[in-house]
Amino acid sequence: MIQSDSNDRLIQALGANLTTVRRLPSPGLRAVLWLAILGSMAVALAMVSDAKAMSSRLMAAPDMWLAALASMLTAVLAATAAFELSLPDRKATWALLPLPTLLLWIGASGMGCLRTWSVAEANPMPPDQPEHCLIYILGISLPLSLLLIVMLRRGLSLRPNLTAIIGGLACASAAATLLNFIHPYDAAATDLAVHAFAVVIVILANTIFGGRILMSNTR
């Protein structure tokens, strides 16, 4: 009886200052929220750009619309995978979810460089435009990355660097998708190289800084 009373007092003491933990929304729901914000950015860009001309340009060649579709799907799947990886009980294989669309994106973009004819609705890229594309992708990726890291930090990832890498891929592919609204140019090797360079920078930045933020959550 004395031992039982002692245990009861210990349990009461340990639970005296406990507060109710608010349940974290499902990874799918949090991914939808992030994608909804991305969608609102797309709507805003569509309102200030020539969406009809963009649609005609993308549909003028299979590689154009395939690359745009693949980058959009990569953003969706990578965001979903990142939110799944933000939970401690999820397997690392979630990181493979955006791989098929990523390969399609790379392949379709490469097809555009190998195409021997030019899209009538698209213009050749001016010499100074690649720099603008780089700045645009990095600039759009920054707020998307900050928002995503804040949302991912609510979880408790046991693989913070992997989670940050996949999150960076989501942000980079999202920015590349939005670039289509203000990028009235045909595919070119220089264009592809600049886009690939921007995507790598975004992923590395998310891995370095986002990974540290997510790692601090496990200490």
Side-chain angles (χ1 to χ4, degrees):
M1 181 65 69
I2 295 176
Q3 182 67 29
S4 177
D5 291 342
S6 176
N7 290 339
D8 290 341
R9 287 195 299 270
L10 177 60
I11 293 172
Q12 292 175 2
L14 292 174
N17 297 322
L18 294 180
T19 57
T20 302
V21 177
R22 187 176 181 180
R23 187 174 182 179
L24 191 67
S26 67
L29 182 58
R30 289 188 290 149
V32 167
L33 178 58
W34 185 82
L35 291 169
I37 296 172
L38 175 61
S40 66
M41 296 173 66
V43 171
L45 282 173
M47 294 175 64
V48 299
S49 64
D50 192 344
K52 184 177 180 180
M54 179 195 72
S55 178
S56 299
R57 183 177 68 255
L58 293 180
M59 297 306 295
D63 59 90
M64 298 283 279
W65 66 262
L66 272 175
L69 177 63
S71 65
M72 180 184 68
L73 292 177
T74 300
V76 173
L77 296 179
T80 302
F83 281 109
E84 291 288 350
L85 289 169
S86 70
L87 299 181
D89 61 338
R90 296 303 195 264
K91 295 183 178 180
T93 50
W94 274 104
L96 299 177
L97 183 63
L99 182 59
T101 54
L102 174 61
L103 294 177
L104 177 60
W105 180 21
I106 295 172
S109 299
M111 285 169 54
C113 298
L114 299 175
R115 184 168 15 94
T116 57
W117 52 275
S118 299
V119 175
E121 290 79 2
N123 304 315
M125 179 178 289
D128 63 335
Q129 192 62 32
E131 179 182 347
H132 295 164
C133 294
L134 176 63
I135 294 173
Y136 177 88
I137 293 177
L138 296 180
I140 292 296
S141 297
L142 178 58
L144 289 174
S145 298
L146 292 175
L147 174 62
L148 185 61
I149 290 298
V150 169
M151 296 177 70
L152 291 174
R153 198 173 186 273
R154 295 191 61 193
L156 186 63
S157 176
L158 298 183
R159 303 175 183 87
N161 288 330
L162 181 61
T163 304
I165 289 173
I166 301 302
L169 176 61
C171 297
S173 55
T177 303
L178 295 179
L179 179 64
N180 289 298
F181 286 100
I182 59 169
H183 190 264
Y185 307 113
D186 199 355
T190 302
D191 189 32
L192 176 60
V194 171
H195 290 186
F197 181 63
V199 169
V200 170
I201 289 178
V202 173
I203 293 176
L204 285 177
N206 274 269
T207 304
I208 295 172
F209 299 105
R212 288 179 180 176
I213 294 174
L214 297 178
M215 193 177 297
S216 66
N217 218 24
T218 62
R219 295 173 181 173

